[in-house]
Amino acid sequence: MGAPPGLTEAVIGPGRAQPLGATLDATGVNFSVYSEHATKVELLLFDRYDALAPSRVIELDPDRHRSYHFWHCRVEGLTVGQTYAYRMDGPHHTKDSGSRFNPRKVLLDPYARANVNSLWERVRAIGPEDNCAYSMRSMVVDLDGYDWEGDEPLRTPLAESVIYEVHVGGLTASPTAGVTHPGTFAGVVEKIPYLKELGVTAVELLPVFDFDERQVLRTGPNGTPLHNYWGYDPFGFFAPHTGYCSDACECTHITEFRDMVKALHRAGIEVILDVVFNHTSEGNEHGPTISFRGQANETYYHLWPQDRRHYMDFTGCGNAINANHPAVAKFIIECLEYWVTEHHVDGFRFDLASELSRGAEGYEMDVPPVLWGIELSGILSETKIIAEPWDGGGLYQVGRFPGKRWSQWNGPYRDDIRRFVRGDGGLVGAVATRIGGSRDLFSKSGELPTNSVNFITCHDGFTLNDLVSYNEKHNHANGESNADGSHENFSWNGGVEGPTDAQDIERLRVRQIKNHVALLMLSRGVPMILAGDEFRNSQDGNNNAYCQGNPIAWLDWEQAEKNTETRRFFQEMIAFRKRTAAVREPHFFSGRRNDRDLPDVTWHGTKLEQPGWEDTDARVLAFTLAGFGGEPDLHVILNMFHLGLDFELPRIGGHRWARTVDTALEAPADVLTAGSEEPVAGHTYHAHGRSVVVLTSLPHDGGFHR
C-alpha cells in the first residue's frame, strides 16, 4: 500500500472531475475534491496509515487538474489501502468572504469511504501550526469486490414496521453482552437472534458516520474525561465509523458494515441509519479544521452576513450546514444514494432535519431543494426517510415538514401518551387523536398515519424504566451541574425516586411499562422502541447520556435475563400488532363499516359511546375497532385512574368478548396468544387502576372467523 516507487509526472494524469472522492480502477486511482476558491491544492500520499509525513506531495496544476469548482488528478499504480489527504491554500479568515484556508492543516476527503485516526490529536487541528504528524487520513477502498450473495434492501411497508433504535457500540460494549467483538458492527451481528426473537422489523442505528470519539468534551465529577459517545458530530459522511470496526487500520470498514447489513437482512430486519447533515465536528470559529472548513468554509456552513468570520448555529453544536447550497445539496444526496446503492441501507432518520430547510441566510424555505431532492431521487424512491422535524434554532415542523412522503418523529405523541399514562386528566381527546394516527397533524397536507413515527422514549431522554422510576433527571455524571437534558419529562416514579425494594412500587412500575408499550403497539402509525426498554435497561436517571461511553449508557444484558416479564410483554405485543390489521391500518379512521355493521372505530368511556371529551378530569378511554376481512373486532379499555372501574362492553351479534391483554395481570396471563383468549362473562369488564385491556371478539362457537 502507498505510492509506488519511482512515481513520476508520467503516471500523474489530469483525471476527471466526477465522481468526487477517490475512485479505484484496475490500474490506479482518480482523485477529485470540491473547492471553489482554493488557489493551491496538494494531494498527500502516505506509505502507511501511521506515517508521520507523506511519501509524495502532488501539487495540482490549475490549468491541468482543475475543472471549474473541482480539483482532480489520476495516479497510476495506487491500490486498495492507499492513505491520502489534502492541503489547500487560498483566502483566509476574511470578514467579507468567510474563507478559512490554511495550508498548514491536513484535510480529509469529504467523500472518503474510510478514514484512519491512529495519529489524530484534535487540539493540533486548531491554531496556526502544522498538524501533519497528528492528522487523520483517508483511505482508498474497493467497492466492487464484495459478495452480497443476492442481498437487496427489504422494502418492508411502513405500516408493517416496528423500529428498534439502538447505538451500535452500546448494544454490545458491556461484558454482559457476551459477544466476541464488543462494541462493533460484528457485535450487532452476534445479537441478531435476539432481535429476531423480539420481533422488530428494523434497527435504527445511531450515527455510524465517522465521528471523533476521542474528543474530550469535559471531565466528569470524578475527573474522568467525557467523550463524544452518541456520534452526533460527524466528519466522514461516506465512511463507516472507525471505532465500530474490529481492526480499522486494515481497511475493513466497508466489509464489516456490509457483513452486518447482509446478516440483518437475512433475518428480515431492515437497517435505518440515523444521519446528521445539520452540522459537523468542526464546530465554530474556535474549532478544528478537519475538511470542510479548510476546503470551502463559505460553501458548507451558514455564516453571519454581517461578519462572516462567525458561524450561525441552529443546532447547538457550533455550526450549521448550508444544506441548500447546490454543492452541499449534491453532497448530501449523493451520500444518501451511496449508502443505498453500495451498502443496501433501507432508510434514514435525519437528525434535526428542520435545519435542512433553511436557506443561505438561515431563514426557513418554503421549498427547500435538498429535502425535495431527497424525496424525488429515483435511487431513494423506495427508501424510508424519517425526519426529526425540529432543530436547535427553534424551527418546529411536526405535521408540516416539507414534502409528502417524509415520516416524522411525533413529539406530541410522546408527550400526550406520557402524560396520560402518568395519570394527568383531561387528555382523552388528545390520546384518541394520537392512537388514530395524529390526524390533527398530518391529514391537512394529505399525509397518512404512516407519516407519524410514534415513540415513548428514544436515545435522547429517559429510558422507559427511568421514565417510570424518576421524577427528576440525574445528569450529574455529565459534568454540567445537572443543567443539561430536558427539564420536563412527564415522568412519574410511583412514589420513590430511583431503585427501590418496595414490591408494590416495583409492580406498579412494571405495569406502567406495559401500559406504555401496549398503547404504542395499539396506535396507528409507525412504532419505535428504544433498545433495552424491553428489559428495563436503566441509565440511573440520566436523560442525556450523550457523553457516557461507559456502563451508564451501555445495555446491561443481565437485566435481559432478570426482567423476563417485560421482555416477554414487548415480544407478545409486537406479535399482537403484526397479526392485527386494525391497529396497522395505514389510513385514518373514516367511519367505514364491516360486515357486522360496526364502524371502524367507536369511542367510549366507562359508559358506551360516552367518552369524556370535555371532562378536564377524565383519565379513562375505551374504543371498539371493527375487524375487516374476517379479522376479529377489538375492544380496548384504558383506565389510568388509580382505582379499578367497571366498563360497559358493546354487544355484537353472534359474538362474545374474550380477554387478550390485561397489563394489570402478571405474565403469562397479561398477553394471551390467538386461540387461548379467556371469555369474558357478562357485559362489563372490571379494569384495574392504571391498566390497559384488550378484548377480542369470538363467535359463540369459540373460533375466529378467518
Side-chain angles (χ1 to χ4, degrees):
M1 296 185 293
L7 187 65
T8 67
E9 296 300 330
V11 296
I12 303 174
R16 294 171 290 119
Q18 301 286 349
L20 286 159
T23 305
L24 179 71
D25 60 33
T27 60
V29 177
N30 187 85
F31 297 92
S32 181
V33 64
Y34 170 89
S35 183
E36 182 177 1
H37 298 299
T39 57
K40 180 180 179 180
V41 175
E42 294 177 339
L43 173 64
L44 314 182
L45 301 177
F46 299 85
D47 282 341
R48 286 180 48 85
Y49 65 85
D50 56 357
L52 299 182
S55 57
R56 179 63 191 255
V57 177
I58 301 173
E59 183 175 341
L60 303 188
D61 182 344
D63 295 327
R64 188 169 184 244
H65 298 123
R66 182 173 186 175
S67 300
Y68 304 105
H69 308 313
F70 305 107
W71 296 76
H72 47 82
C73 71
R74 185 181 183 282
V75 184
E76 287 280 348
L78 302 186
T79 186
V80 174
Q82 171 65 56
T83 310
Y84 71 99
Y86 291 97
R87 290 189 192 267
M88 293 189 184
D89 200 0
H92 176 71
H93 206 63
T94 55
K95 180 177 179 180
D96 295 330
S97 74
S99 297
R100 285 180 172 268
F101 291 98
N102 184 345
R104 293 176 294 279
K105 298 304 180 189
V106 172
L107 309 174
L108 290 176
D109 178 0
Y111 278 76
R113 272 49 172 176
N115 300 300
V116 287
N117 63 358
S118 60
L119 300 174
W120 173 242
E121 292 186 18
R122 186 179 182 92
V123 68
R124 304 281 188 161
I126 303 171
E129 70 273 6
D130 190 291
N131 76 322
C132 186
Y134 311 97
S135 63
M136 288 187 282
R137 290 85 188 270
S138 300
M139 298 181 78
V140 175
V141 303
D142 180 8
L143 295 175
D144 298 328
Y146 186 78
D147 184 4
W148 278 104
E149 302 179 81
D151 177 79
E152 293 182 355
L154 295 179
R155 302 182 180 91
T156 303
L158 274 167
E160 310 293 326
S161 297
V162 178
I163 298 172
Y164 190 77
E165 191 199 28
V166 62
H167 186 283
V168 168
L171 179 68
T172 62
S174 169
T176 63
V179 300
T180 306
H181 301 287
T184 65
F185 296 126
V188 174
V189 174
E190 295 184 69
K191 286 298 182 183
I192 287 176
Y194 172 86
L195 298 173
K196 188 173 181 179
E197 181 183 24
L198 185 61
V200 297
T201 69
V203 289
E204 183 174 297
L205 304 179
L206 267 67
V208 301
F209 293 175
D210 227 349
F211 64 92
D212 187 5
E213 63 184 1
R214 298 184 182 183
Q215 179 185 1
V216 178
L217 304 173
R218 70 190 65 82
T219 56
N222 60 359
T224 301
L226 299 176
H227 299 269
N228 179 358
Y229 169 67
W230 280 348
Y232 289 95
D233 214 11
F235 59 77
F237 292 77
F238 285 76
H241 177 51
T242 303
Y244 297 154
C245 301
S246 59
D247 192 348
C249 294
E250 292 301 319
C251 200
T252 60
H253 307 62
I254 300 299
T255 298
E256 293 192 32
F257 182 85
R258 287 172 166 176
D259 285 348
M260 178 191 67
V261 172
K262 183 167 63 174
L264 284 162
H265 282 177
R266 283 175 175 166
I269 299 172
E270 292 189 308
V271 178
I272 299 171
L273 301 185
D274 195 335
V275 293
V276 185
F277 289 109
N278 57 79
H279 74 281
T280 79
S281 184
E282 292 184 310
N284 61 20
E285 56 268 25
H286 305 296
T289 297
I290 299 174
S291 59
F292 306 100
R293 187 197 306 279
Q295 296 171 6
N297 186 64
E298 71 288 350
T299 294
Y300 284 107
Y301 295 117
H302 286 292
L303 306 176
W304 283 105
Q306 300 87 346
D307 186 346
R308 295 177 67 81
R309 291 173 295 184
H310 303 292
Y311 294 77
M312 293 183 177
D313 182 6
F314 307 114
T315 67
C317 299
N319 63 53
I321 290 179
N322 186 17
N324 287 294
H325 184 286
V328 185
K330 167 186 168 65
F331 171 82
I332 292 172
I333 293 171
E334 288 182 344
C335 179
L336 297 169
E337 292 176 343
Y338 163 76
W339 286 98
V340 171
T341 58
E342 296 294 342
H343 299 305
H344 295 196
V345 165
D346 302 276
F348 303 94
R349 178 265 187 189
F350 293 75
D351 178 65
L352 298 182
S354 291
E355 196 277 332
L356 275 65
S357 69
R358 294 183 182 271
E361 295 189 356
Y363 298 109
E364 179 182 1
M365 302 179 74
D366 291 333
V367 185
V370 69
L371 294 178
W372 277 99
I374 293 167
E375 172 149 339
L376 299 176
S377 164
I379 292 174
L380 303 177
S381 62
E382 296 183 280
T383 301
K384 293 176 175 63
I385 49 175
I386 301 169
E388 183 183 36
W390 51 80
D391 69 15
L395 188 55
Y396 194 80
Q397 297 175 303
V398 177
R400 63 177 191 87
F401 194 78
K404 293 295 182 184
R405 74 179 186 92
W406 286 84
S407 297
Q408 301 164 43
W409 273 24
N410 191 339
Y413 179 95
R414 171 200 60 207
D415 295 344
D416 288 340
I417 299 300
R418 282 186 177 192
R419 293 178 61 204
F420 180 65
V421 174
R422 182 173 69 171
D424 292 8
L427 291 167
V428 294
V431 169
T433 301
R434 301 293 160 247
I435 290 171
S438 295
R439 178 191 292 270
D440 61 328
L441 299 175
F442 297 106
S443 66
K444 296 176 183 177
S445 55
E447 295 174 328
L448 299 168
T450 47
N451 288 102
S452 174
V453 174
N454 300 329
F455 66 103
I456 308 297
T457 57
C458 64
H459 71 277
D460 189 1
F462 278 142
T463 67
L464 188 52
N465 179 77
D466 291 357
L467 184 70
V468 302
S469 302
Y470 294 90
N471 283 350
E472 307 294 337
K473 60 186 173 71
H474 297 268
N475 298 357
H476 305 283
N478 295 353
E480 298 185 67
S481 302
N482 203 35
D484 62 303
S486 176
H487 298 288
E488 180 53 85
N489 298 283
F490 306 118
S491 60
W492 179 51
N493 63 20
V496 174
E497 188 75 351
T500 179
D501 293 328
Q503 290 305 302
D504 56 337
I505 294 177
E506 274 293 281
R507 289 307 311 165
L508 174 60
R509 289 175 179 177
V510 168
R511 187 184 302 183
Q512 290 289 74
I513 288 171
K514 291 180 180 180
N515 289 339
H516 279 296
V517 72
L519 279 166
L520 184 63
M521 294 302 157
L522 290 167
S523 299
R524 293 190 175 184
V526 184
M528 183 187 78
I529 59 180
L530 173 64
D533 275 354
E534 70 276 14
F535 54 76
R536 300 189 64 184
N537 192 68
S538 174
Q539 294 178 168
D540 301 330
N542 192 320
N543 76 347
N544 190 33
Y546 70 103
C547 57
Q548 299 297 330
N550 55 55
I552 290 177
W554 297 343
L555 296 195
D556 179 0
W557 289 93
E558 289 181 350
Q559 297 304 309
E561 298 302 319
K562 176 182 176 182
N563 294 302
T564 56
E565 181 175 357
T566 54
R567 180 159 59 89
R568 173 191 170 276
F569 189 86
F570 270 75
Q571 182 179 340
E572 294 294 348
M573 283 306 304
I574 292 170
F576 176 84
R577 181 180 179 85
K578 287 182 175 180
R579 67 175 184 263
T580 308
V583 298
R584 292 183 283 102
E585 173 64 41
H587 300 286
F588 297 112
F589 295 124
S590 64
R592 182 167 65 106
R593 293 179 177 268
N594 66 5
D595 58 352
R596 292 178 296 284
D597 199 34
L598 284 175
D600 55 0
V601 67
T602 307
W603 299 101
H604 316 281
T606 55
K607 303 292 185 182
L608 293 177
E609 300 186 36
Q610 296 182 37
W613 301 142
E614 307 301 327
D615 185 351
T616 59
D617 291 324
R619 292 170 173 82
V620 301
L621 180 67
F623 57 97
T624 308
L625 294 178
F628 290 86
E631 291 286 333
D633 307 311
L634 299 180
H635 187 73
V636 179
I637 296 170
L638 312 176
N639 180 18
M640 295 304 133
F641 192 57
H642 68 281
L643 299 176
L645 298 170
D646 291 328
F647 285 74
E648 291 183 351
L649 302 181
R651 302 187 183 193
I652 45 178
H655 287 67
R656 56 181 175 167
W657 294 111
R659 178 178 58 79
T660 301
V661 178
D662 190 335
T663 62
L665 303 180
E666 296 185 16
D670 49 1
V671 186
L672 302 174
T673 57
S676 63
E677 294 84 352
E678 294 186 356
V680 175
H683 300 294
T684 62
Y685 188 93
H686 182 77
H688 295 272
R690 303 191 188 280
S691 68
V692 174
V693 177
V694 180
L695 308 179
T696 305
S697 67
L698 294 173
H700 278 302
D701 61 10
F704 282 116
H705 291 304
R706 295 295 187 193

